[in-house]
Amino acid sequence: MGAVNIWNAIEVAESHTSDIPSSSLTIDHSLSPSDMKPRIVELCKDLFKKWSNLDESHFSVERVSGGITNLLLKVSVVEKNGNIVNITVRLYGPNTEYVINRERELQAIPYLSAAGFGAKLLGIFANGMVQSFIDARTLAPPDMREPKLAAEIAKQLRKFHQVDIPGSKEPQLWNDIFKFYGKASNLNFDDFEEQKKYETISFKEIISEIIELKELTGCLDAPVVYAHNDLLSGNLMLNDDEERLYIIDFEYGSYSYRGFDIGNHFNEYAGYDCDYSLCPNKDEQYHFFRHYLDPERPEEVSDKDLEALYIETNMYMLASHLYWALWALIQAKMSPIDFDYLGYFFLRYGEFRRQKETCFSLAKAYLSRSHTR
């Protein structure tokens, strides 16, 4: 199954990026960077012919970071003339094809890159991609709350949402949520304790929550944009000297609802520990909205526009909890990464249930006011 996906992905990438080299090599995700090095050197030589005569001593490999779905490596190459080139090798996490549409990602990257987002795509291989190296630090969740940075993220996200990616503009959010639901509701765990926890979940309740939420958010007419869908701190980088912010990693990107992308970003203030007391309050959200809606004149954004985006965002924050809760169940079964995905499901779904009534009441009151105007 994996091989078919890989070659489809390489074909897709080549049809959209004819000048991007590709390799059929795979790199074992579970090795340490030093054990991966010979294979990475082989990959670099296969992709970039100008390095084919360099011996292994010209290459160094270090781990930059690893999310809970992929691994980033910095590869430094000393060329014959002494020039040092840094590149990033991104390894897809094992079994991530169950939750990530790689074809969708590879189609979008060239267009996002041309618009100035993320790293430049330099090459693709069987289980990953090679990109230009971004000299910047990855943000931590508390950074995103800083007003100056929040304003910059809002401005960049507005630009991101204006990128036109060819192909269907149909929003994918509910398709993805229903797809995740289908997979998440049919699992069997080998571990007895995990299976016991899994069996406490009412999928009947979850499906009715999804349908109810889809119906109410549908009344809000949220604009459809090309959304990042995973704007957590790990996918934001900052070069402090140049004060330049980078949005990276588009593996969950798709056409979706504006409010989902913003609401999902706000949920990520809580970090993987899901400390939702860290999520932005109404004033902090309004600060973000002003810079998103009118980066040039943030203070001139009308109260009406702020309220509309507030309602939209908070409703889609609920959708974000359902999306990642179901995603976590699939990962609990499929991912070899040491993370308590099952626990993460209960944290996300628990927060959905805590926030639901407040958000629904706000949205219903707003809609009834809008209809009587």
Side-chain angles (χ1 to χ4, degrees), residues 339-370:
F339 182 79
D340 181 13
Y341 290 106
L342 211 48
Y344 191 72
F345 162 83
F346 287 105
L347 289 169
R348 294 302 298 251
Y349 190 55
E351 189 60 15
F352 164 82
R353 291 173 70 172
R354 265 191 299 282
Q355 299 297 341
K356 180 190 165 184
E357 203 178 316
T358 310
C359 295
F360 268 54
S361 302
L362 274 174
K364 285 174 179 170
Y366 171 77
L367 287 164
S368 66
R369 281 201 310 280
S370 307

Side-chain angles (χ1 to χ4, degrees), residues 6-7 9-11 13-14 17-25 43 46-49 122-126 128 130:
I6 286 158
W7 286 110
I10 287 181
E11 276 167 31
E14 284 174 342
T17 53
S18 50
D19 54 341
I20 301 290
S22 64
S23 167
S24 57
L25 290 177
L43 172 70
D46 192 25
L47 287 173
F48 311 112
K49 301 299 173 239
L122 303 175
I124 49 175
F125 57 100
V130 180

Side-chain angles (χ1 to χ4, degrees), residues 109-295:
I109 283 176
Y111 299 99
L112 291 165
S113 182
F117 291 103
K120 196 170 172 355
L121 183 63
L122 303 175
I124 49 175
F125 57 100
N127 64 328
M129 60 177 71
V130 180
Q131 294 171 292
S132 60
F133 180 74
I134 294 175
D135 186 17
R137 68 179 174 92
T138 304
L139 296 189
D143 292 324
M144 302 192 298
R145 296 189 69 145
E146 208 268 296
K148 195 177 162 194
L149 254 181
E152 187 54 32
I153 294 166
K155 282 181 205 171
Q156 291 290 336
L157 189 58
R158 178 189 174 88
K159 277 189 206 154
F160 190 93
H161 288 167
Q162 290 167 337
V163 179
D164 179 37
I165 308 290
S168 166
K169 305 282 195 280
E170 280 298 304
Q172 296 302 309
L173 174 65
W174 299 107
N175 294 348
D176 288 345
I177 286 179
F178 283 117
K179 208 186 311 171
F180 285 0
Y181 176 84
K183 288 173 178 164
S185 57
N186 281 300
L187 298 172
N188 276 300
F189 290 89
D190 302 328
D191 181 272
F192 176 73
E193 287 304 316
E194 285 185 339
Q195 184 63 25
K196 220 161 69 173
K197 271 189 207 159
Y198 175 74
E199 285 169 6
T200 67
I201 300 165
S202 167
F203 286 100
K204 207 172 148 189
E205 177 188 286
I206 292 173
I207 196 70
S208 67
E209 296 287 16
I210 293 170
I211 291 163
E212 193 184 1
L213 182 62
K214 180 177 188 284
E215 211 170 286
L216 189 52
T217 52
C219 301
L220 296 171
D221 293 327
V224 173
V225 295
Y226 192 82
H228 186 285
N229 295 326
D230 191 24
L231 205 57
L232 73 170
S233 60
N235 288 335
L236 290 161
M237 297 182 81
L238 182 69
N239 180 311
D240 291 294
D241 298 334
E242 296 169 15
E243 293 194 332
R244 182 163 175 204
L245 181 81
Y246 297 87
I247 293 177
I248 63 162
D249 278 12
F250 315 122
E251 41 188 19
Y252 291 94
S254 70
Y255 273 94
S256 191
Y257 303 98
R258 171 184 71 175
F260 179 80
D261 219 10
I262 299 172
N264 186 68
H265 172 64
F266 287 167
N267 280 337
E268 294 297 350
Y269 279 43
Y272 289 134
D273 297 334
C274 297
D275 180 356
Y276 291 105
S277 68
L278 301 175
C279 282
N281 60 33
K282 193 172 183 178
D283 288 344
E284 290 170 314
Q285 289 192 31
Y286 272 30
H287 168 72
F288 188 98
F289 298 153
R290 287 179 200 283
H291 290 274
Y292 176 89
L293 291 168
D294 192 345

